């Protein structure tokens, strides 16, 4: 599984925590510990999904396209992952084998159920929920 979902969630949380500011890919890359080109690719995916918008040039950068509470973690996952939670073999098993003739469909069905469960769980948390939880943690840390 790729790390795109984790990186996308981190950069969107940064963007959501400062909604009035345009965020440069270079700054987001520094905070995420990755290359700006990786961030730009992820931002393109998020933009195609309607989660972010970007402005080029001086003072430009990325912002959310809609309120953070309207963006679920499932939206982010679906924007940046290819939808194949568990990779399947490229070559199928021997169809003359009594197990090989059926195992592929059985495993694919189980993997699809697992992916559906993951997406259902991710849909329960919004980007706004993450920002609120992080703000509470930051406030609690500042008071200790």
């Amino acid at each position: 599984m790729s790390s795109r979902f984790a990186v996308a969630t981190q950069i969107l949380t940064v963007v959501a925590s400062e909604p009035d500011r345009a965020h440069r890919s270079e700054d987001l890359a520094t905070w995420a510990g990755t290359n700006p080109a990786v961030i730009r690719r992820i931002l393109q995916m998020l933009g195609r999904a309607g989660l972010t918008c970007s402005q080029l040039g001086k003072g430009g950068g990325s912002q959310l396209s809609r309120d953070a509470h309207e963006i679920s973690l499932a939206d982010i996952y679906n924007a940046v992952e290819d939808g194949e939670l568990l990779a399947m073999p490229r070559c199928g098993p021997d169809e003359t084998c009594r197990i090989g003739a059926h195992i592929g469909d059985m495993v694919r069905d189980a993997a699809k159920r697992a992916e559906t469960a993951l997406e259902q769980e991710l849909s329960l948390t919004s980007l706004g929920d993450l920002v609120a939880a992080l703000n509470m943690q930051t406030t609690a840390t500042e008071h200790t």
Side-chain angles (χ1 to χ4, degrees):
M1 188 170 197
S2 80
S3 63
R4 285 187 305 265
F5 171 68
V7 173
T9 302
Q10 181 180 354
I11 64 176
L12 285 180
T13 304
V14 169
V15 171
S17 68
E18 297 177 315
D20 297 329
R21 177 177 166 218
H23 296 269
R24 298 174 342 126
S25 57
E26 293 82 5
D27 297 331
L28 294 170
T30 298
W31 296 324
T34 192
N35 187 296
V38 170
I39 298 299
R40 284 190 283 276
R41 270 193 306 275
I42 289 173
L43 286 170
Q44 287 174 344
M45 293 173 166
L46 295 168
R48 280 193 297 271
L51 304 180
T52 62
C53 56
S54 298
Q55 180 142 353
L56 300 174
K58 187 174 181 173
S62 296
Q63 294 181 296
L64 295 181
S65 294
R66 55 188 192 217
D67 185 86
H69 289 286
E70 296 174 7
I71 299 173
S72 73
L73 295 184
D75 294 330
I76 300 168
Y77 175 80
N78 288 320
V80 299
E81 295 296 345
D82 62 10
E84 206 174 286
L85 180 62
L86 301 172
M88 302 303 283
R90 289 193 174 108
C91 298
D94 181 355
E95 293 293 323
T96 62
C97 170
R98 70 179 182 87
I99 294 171
H102 304 285
I103 195 69
D105 289 339
M106 296 168 85
V107 171
R108 270 188 289 284
D109 289 347
K112 185 62 182 163
R113 287 192 308 274
E115 185 175 330
T116 299
L118 171 67
E119 289 184 22
Q120 287 174 344
E121 185 64 30
L122 292 175
S123 71
L124 299 176
T125 304
S126 75
L127 188 57
D129 295 336
L130 293 183
V131 171
L134 288 168
N135 287 340
M136 286 176 43
Q137 281 185 344
T138 303
T139 301
T141 304
E142 290 172 355
H143 294 340
T144 56

